[in-house]
């Protein structure tokens, strides 16, 4: 069985989906001959031809908009936006069309498209290449927003996203593209798009996170275990629609919750999760719900980005506060 | 059938790749005094460029976008502008930025990932480098609209690549510039590649210059490796814009001799042979040959120039490397004109979290 890293798992899922279904097409900037700037689409052009693996002109609004057109005609476009920093011209098409084509036509037309984009900081990338703005997309009714954090989840979730009949924003944490290798069977098995993954069970505290921060959070859980604190770690994975149920069940058990995300704090997904806990889990909480997040600043350029990024130390400090609270 | 409109795109070249005039050069551009400053700036930019790549390779600079082979455009554009004109650059316009008074140290800082690299000590109204492709076209027409509103004799120069001309932002800006008759010059550095996508796969149009015609104004194509041609086109375009004649698009045909950035490997998508051929058209060679033909340049001048460029770049590197990173609170301190009270807590938190304690 192949040992693959996260970006290779993405590639494997793309190839599998194209193999299975002739309607699946791949498009974007530099995805063909170059195989994608992160190599996510490498080999696809040779294998499936230029009719199905398309280098587009440099135009993101077009990439999103033409994906909608293709999807409505029955194709299953998987479009790559080279970096999340360049996805914003797509927002018009996503808000005004992709997310509501089905609703507007009362089901006559669907929009089975996937928009993939690498995101997140910590790799010393140039300006506009490091932000985490998943909450912008999570706010749009009608979209799914999916963020894998391991090779196997990348494979399974991307297959699910491609097979899903509705538009999916698939955000790939590029800091961990090549961090770990895992055996991932290329057997076409998809993962569900609307449940969280419990990565570690615990009883004292629930740590909720997604994307690259899963790794810092797991490290924090290890360190907590050394201190005799048992932390449960949940990878949200599908930030929209949010599986609040799994989080509530966990917090019912632990009574404490820390949400960790790289994105800026205000109006981030952490706020939504905290609101759901207040709403439906207040009586199981023994301490306030806390967030460890990026600051409400512009993402600093590489020389200062470490000031911004949440880290194990910050996570541990917040966990300690909650354990000491009650 | 009646023909109701006709358009033609002119191609301008004065110096061939060997530095031989291909037509009469207008007297004010023919002399060494006009050419030497451009040549010197091109040489400085090339020295900066080589150093930036060397620093990146040794972990002392971030990802860097080289302008190797495209220096003539920036040098001619930057030196053609007046100081109070406004440059709205992309990331590959080092020469133009240097001409405008952006310092070598500032560009090193920028590419190291330090915001202070965009706090230009020189040109106060020039825009910072725009990374999101073509978005700056819209800023350029906005700045031009402001200038026009105030009736000032200033011109905005926007720089972008061939790939950028595919974006809506670019077309939208051309449209506005034409219909509002704005004092703006669009300079498209057509270096044949947008990362791995060749010019031929970017647009079905024969020239990029002709995109101007849809906006209702003139586009010209120039040999972008011929500083005289670029300068000539820029002088005309700037004069037209300054005197109320509206916008111009200058497509400068050149070639990206380096990888897209230091994070790229162009051998994956283009032939080494193509690059070798393009090297024959290097702007430095023809400019030097032409100056030599005027008896205005020799080996001693070249050696002195090399020495000077090396020294200036080295001084800038040392100043850059000696600049300590900013403290954590810097990410708050220029966020708003005045930090809103709601953020003072986070500012303190950032300082505390990033202290050693
Ligand atoms: C809106 C946007 N999309 C994608 C990118 C990623 N990207 C950076 S440079 C580039 C190609 C630009 O080509 P061109 O306009 O020809 O300029 P050149 O780099 O050749 O100077 C791409 C796709 C970006 N920076 N901005
Ligand atoms: Mg280009």
């Amino acid at each position: 069985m192949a040992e693959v890293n996260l970006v290779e798992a993405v590639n494997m899922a793309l190839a599998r989906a194209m193999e299975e279904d002739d309607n699946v097409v791949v498009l974007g900037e530099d995805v063909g001959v170059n195989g994608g700037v992160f190599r996510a689409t490498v080999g696809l052009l040779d294998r499936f031809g230029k009719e199905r693996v398309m280098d587009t002109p440099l135009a993101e609004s077009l990439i999103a908009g033409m994906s909608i057109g293709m999807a409505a005609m029955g194709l299953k476009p998987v479009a790559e936006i080279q970096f999340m920093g360049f996805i914003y011209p797509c927002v018009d098409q996503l808000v005004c069309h992709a997310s509501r084509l089905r609703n507007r036509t009362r089901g006559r037309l669907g929009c089975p498209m996937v928009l993939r984009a690498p995101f997140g900081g910590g790799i010393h990338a140039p300006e506009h290449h490091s932000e985490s703005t998943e909450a912008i997309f999570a706010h749009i009714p009608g979209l799914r927003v999916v963020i894998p954090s391991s090779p196997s989840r990348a494979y399974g979730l991307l297959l699910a996203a491609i097979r899903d009949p509705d538009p999916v924003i698939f955000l790939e944490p590029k800091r961990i593209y090549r961090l770990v290798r895992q055996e991932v069977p290329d057997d076409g098995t998809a993962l569900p798009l609307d449940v969280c993954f419990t990565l570690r069970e615990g009883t004292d505290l629930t740590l909720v996170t997604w994307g690259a921060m899963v790794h810092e959070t797991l490290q924090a859980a290890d360190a907590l275990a050394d201190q005799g604190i048992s932390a449960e770690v949940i990878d949200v994975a599908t930030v929209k629609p949010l599986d609040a149920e799994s989080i509530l069940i966990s917090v019912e058990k632990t009574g404490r919750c820390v949400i960790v995300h790289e994105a800026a704090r205000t109006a981030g997904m952490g706020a939504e999760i905290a609101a759901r806990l207040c709403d439906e889990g207040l009586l199981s909480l023994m301490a306030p719900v806390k967030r460890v997040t990026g600051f409400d600043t512009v993402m600093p350029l590489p020389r200062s980005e470490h000031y911004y990024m949440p880290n194990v130390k910050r996570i541990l400090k917040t966990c300690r506060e909650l354990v000491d609270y009650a | 059938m009646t023909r109701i409109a006709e358009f033609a795109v002119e191609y301008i070249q004065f110096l061939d790749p060997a530095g031989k005039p291909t037509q009469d050069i207008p007297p004010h551009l023919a002399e060494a005094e006009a050419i030497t400053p451009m040549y010197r700036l091109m040489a400085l930019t090339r020295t900066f460029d080589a150093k930036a790549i060397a620093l990146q390779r040794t972990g002392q600079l971030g990802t860097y976008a080289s302008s190797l082979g495209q220096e003539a455009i920036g040098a001619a554009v930057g030196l053609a502008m007046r100081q109070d004109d406004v440059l709205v650059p992309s990331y590959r316009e080092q020469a133009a930025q240097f001409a405008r008074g952006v310092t070598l140290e500032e560009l090193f800082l920028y590419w190291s990932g330090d915001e202070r690299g965009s706090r230009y000590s020189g040109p106060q109204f020039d825009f910072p480098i725009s990374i999101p492709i073509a978005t700056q076209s819209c800023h350029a027409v906005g700045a031009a609209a402001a200038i026009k509103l105030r009736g000032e004799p200033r011109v905005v120069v926007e720089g972008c690549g061939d790939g950028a001309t595919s974006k809506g932002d670019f077309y939208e800006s051309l449209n506005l510039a034409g219909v509002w008759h704005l004092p703006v010059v669009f300079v498209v550095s057509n270096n044949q590649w947008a990362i791995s996508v060749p010019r031929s796969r970017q647009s079905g149009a024969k020239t990029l210059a002709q995109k101007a015609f849809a906006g209702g104004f003139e586009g010209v194509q120039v040999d972008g490796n011929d500083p005289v041609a670029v300068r000539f086109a820029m002088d005309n375009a700037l004069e037209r814009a300054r005197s109320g004649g509206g916008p111009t698009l200058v497509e400068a045909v050149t070639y990206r001799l380096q990888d897209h950035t230091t994070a790229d490997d162009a051998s994956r998508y283009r032939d080494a042979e193509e690059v070798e051929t393009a090297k024959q058209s290097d702007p430095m060679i023809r400019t030097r040959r032409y100056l030599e033909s005027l008896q205005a340049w020799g080996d001693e001048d070249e050696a002195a120039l090399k020495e000077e460029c090396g020294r200036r770049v080295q001084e800038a590197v040392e100043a850059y490397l000696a600049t300590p990173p900013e403290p954590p609170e810097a990410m708050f301190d220029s966020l708003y004109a005045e930090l809103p009270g709601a953020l003072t807590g986070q500012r303190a938190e950032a300082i505390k979290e990033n202290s050693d304690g």
Side-chain angles (χ1 to χ4, degrees):
Chain A
M1 197 189 309
E3 276 229 334
V4 292
N5 61 30
L6 200 156
V7 71
E8 287 162 354
V10 165
N11 183 262
M12 212 161 86
L14 289 169
R16 163 66 60 160
M18 295 189 81
E19 193 74 64
E20 270 176 2
D21 183 349
D22 287 344
N23 288 316
V24 177
V25 295
V26 163
L27 64 150
E29 294 160 11
D30 307 285
V31 299
V33 180
N34 196 30
V37 296
F38 286 103
R39 326 297 295 131
T41 56
V42 75
L44 298 181
L45 177 70
D46 286 344
R47 204 158 145 199
F48 300 103
K50 64 182 183 351
E51 278 70 36
R52 292 179 67 200
V53 182
M54 295 163 258
D55 273 328
T56 64
L58 202 169
E60 283 77 8
S61 175
L62 169 82
I63 291 170
M66 74 183 281
S67 295
I68 295 170
M70 289 172 152
M73 297 297 286
L75 293 182
K76 290 184 160 250
V78 186
E80 174 175 301
I81 298 299
Q82 203 161 78
F83 287 90
M84 191 188 206
F86 311 126
I87 206 173
Y88 309 111
C90 304
V91 171
D92 183 16
Q93 293 290 347
L94 294 173
V95 174
C96 298
H97 298 293
S99 62
R100 51 202 288 163
L101 189 60
R102 181 181 303 285
N103 184 64
R104 288 174 65 209
T105 61
R106 283 296 181 264
R108 181 172 60 82
L109 293 174
C111 192
M113 64 181 272
V114 178
L115 204 59
R116 300 176 36 246
F119 83 116
I123 62 159
H124 296 280
E127 202 168 8
H128 305 287
H129 290 65
S130 297
E131 284 75 4
S132 297
T133 54
E134 64 271 19
I136 293 178
F137 301 92
H139 193 69
I140 304 171
L143 295 185
R144 289 179 184 273
V145 181
V146 178
I147 302 175
S149 65
S150 74
S152 62
R153 286 191 291 283
Y155 179 81
L157 290 171
L158 183 53
L159 277 179
I162 296 170
R163 291 174 194 161
D164 192 82
D166 292 309
V168 180
I169 310 303
F170 195 83
L171 301 173
E172 299 166 8
K174 62 180 181 292
R175 180 159 63 91
I176 59 168
Y177 257 161
R178 297 183 167 83
L179 186 71
V180 289
R181 304 188 78 82
Q182 248 181 1
E183 286 201 347
V184 180
D186 185 9
D187 58 5
T189 308
L191 287 167
L193 284 184
D194 39 23
V195 295
C196 299
F197 296 88
T198 301
L199 302 183
R200 178 182 176 121
E201 304 217 348
T203 50
D204 297 329
L205 176 82
T206 303
L207 299 178
V208 179
T209 189
W210 52 91
M213 276 299 147
V214 162
H215 291 262
E216 278 71 18
T217 306
L218 285 170
Q219 284 169 30
D222 280 342
L224 288 167
D226 293 343
Q227 302 170 25
I229 299 165
S230 157
E232 183 140 304
V233 176
I234 293 180
D235 173 10
V236 173
T238 303
V239 301
K240 173 75 172 280
L242 177 70
D243 170 23
E245 188 66 27
S246 297
I247 299 170
L248 283 159
I249 290 170
S250 172
V251 174
E252 209 168 286
K253 175 172 66 172
T254 63
R256 302 179 185 88
C257 183
V258 176
I259 304 148
V260 183
H261 63 65
E262 206 176 297
R265 190 170 306 162
T266 298
M269 277 306 294
E272 176 62 28
I273 295 167
R276 295 295 292 271
L277 287 169
C278 286
D279 207 5
E280 298 163 60
L282 193 60
L283 297 181
S284 32
L285 285 169
M286 299 190 290
V289 177
K290 289 277 178 188
R291 289 174 287 172
V292 179
T293 68
F295 295 104
D296 287 336
T297 61
V298 173
M299 180 81 193
L301 294 187
R303 249 185 146 190
S304 295
E305 70 178 332
H306 61 285
Y307 295 143
Y308 172 96
M309 301 285 284
N311 54 32
V312 176
K313 188 179 125 192
R314 275 167 71 188
I315 300 169
L316 284 176
K317 199 176 135 208
T318 306
C319 293
R320 199 69 260 172
E321 269 171 50
L322 290 201
V323 173
D324 293 346
Y325 189 93
Chain B
M1 205 168 67
T2 330
R3 187 170 296 189
I4 56 162
E6 260 180 277
F7 313 100
V9 181
E10 310 251 339
Y11 176 75
I12 307 171
Q13 184 200 53
F14 289 104
L15 298 179
D16 74 7
K20 287 222 173 58
T22 51
Q23 58 171 315
D24 287 344
I25 302 175
H28 70 285
L29 287 180
E31 285 153 25
E33 292 85 274
I35 313 292
T36 314
M38 293 195 283
Y39 183 64
R40 301 181 73 87
L41 188 53
M42 290 158 66
L44 181 68
T45 304
R46 189 161 286 196
T47 312
F48 172 90
D49 207 81
K51 191 67 192 181
I53 291 172
L55 288 172
Q56 193 280 334
R57 299 282 186 239
T58 51
Q60 299 176 89
L61 199 74
T63 302
Y64 174 74
S66 163
S67 69
L68 187 73
Q70 302 180 211
E71 299 93 342
I73 303 170
V77 166
L79 291 172
M81 293 172 69
R82 289 192 193 160
Q83 192 51 52
D84 68 348
D85 290 341
V86 177
L87 181 68
V88 186
S90 85
Y91 45 82
R92 221 185 285 285
E93 280 149 322
Q94 289 87 334
Q97 290 197 289
F98 294 149
R100 303 281 304 150
V102 173
T103 67
L104 306 175
E105 186 186 338
E106 284 165 344
L107 282 197
F108 278 132
L109 268 177
Y110 177 76
W111 290 108
S112 79
D114 188 319
E115 284 79 355
R116 288 170 296 182
S118 297
R119 189 179 62 188
Y120 307 141
S121 50
Q124 290 307 295
F125 287 95
D126 281 9
F127 281 59
I129 287 169
S130 178
I131 299 285
I133 303 293
T135 50
Q136 76 274 22
S137 322
C138 305
H139 312 156
V141 293
I147 284 170
K148 186 168 172 153
L149 181 75
R150 295 191 180 134
E152 297 168 340
R154 300 164 74 186
V155 182
V156 180
V157 175
E158 187 255 0
C160 68
D162 43 304
T165 70
S166 296
K167 267 198 92 185
D169 300 42
F170 183 77
Y171 286 105
E172 291 168 35
S173 303
L174 295 188
N175 184 61
L176 184 84
V179 70
W180 285 11
H181 225 58
L182 295 174
V184 59
V185 181
F186 300 94
V187 180
V188 176
S189 294
N190 171 6
N191 64 5
Q192 312 305 328
W193 291 92
I195 309 186
S196 72
V197 179
R199 162 63 184 83
S200 59
R201 303 291 303 157
Q202 196 63 245
S203 170
K206 183 152 195 293
T207 70
L208 300 176
Q210 74 202 57
K211 296 192 179 194
F213 293 113
F217 59 96
E218 290 256 322
V220 292
Q221 192 184 66
V222 304
D223 182 338
N225 292 348
D226 170 4
V228 183
V230 181
R231 180 64 190 255
F232 177 82
M234 281 308 292
D235 283 350
N236 288 345
L238 287 165
E239 168 56 26
R240 175 183 298 148
R242 214 179 299 286
S243 59
T248 307
L249 192 163
V250 177
E251 176 191 0
V253 179
T254 182
Y255 192 86
R256 194 194 81 209
L257 288 174
Q258 265 287 358
D259 293 336
H260 170 68
T261 65
T262 50
D264 177 46
D265 173 7
S267 70
R268 289 203 295 243
Y269 53 78
R270 70 179 182 186
D271 290 338
E273 208 174 302
E274 179 185 302
V275 182
E276 284 312 309
T277 309
K279 282 184 184 161
Q280 313 295 313
S281 300
D282 187 323
M284 297 291 292
I285 300 174
R286 78 180 70 180
T287 312
R288 181 175 170 184
R289 295 278 174 269
Y290 178 67
L291 282 172
E292 284 168 354
S293 74
L294 298 179
Q295 316 291 328
W297 197 260
D299 290 347
E300 270 167 44
D301 300 296
E302 189 68 22
L305 177 61
K306 263 220 168 80
E307 191 279 326
E308 184 196 325
C309 292
R311 183 171 39 76
R312 285 184 61 188
V313 169
Q314 193 50 37
E315 282 166 11
V317 170
E318 279 160 25
Y320 146 61
L321 291 175
T323 308
E326 291 191 296
E329 61 270 28
M331 63 181 160
F332 290 90
D333 292 346
S334 304
L335 197 58
Y336 296 91
E338 203 174 320
L339 191 70
L343 283 175
T344 51
Q346 280 198 31
R347 183 176 181 278
E349 187 186 331
I351 295 171
K352 190 147 169 276
E353 296 298 345
N354 287 292
S355 65
D356 294 332

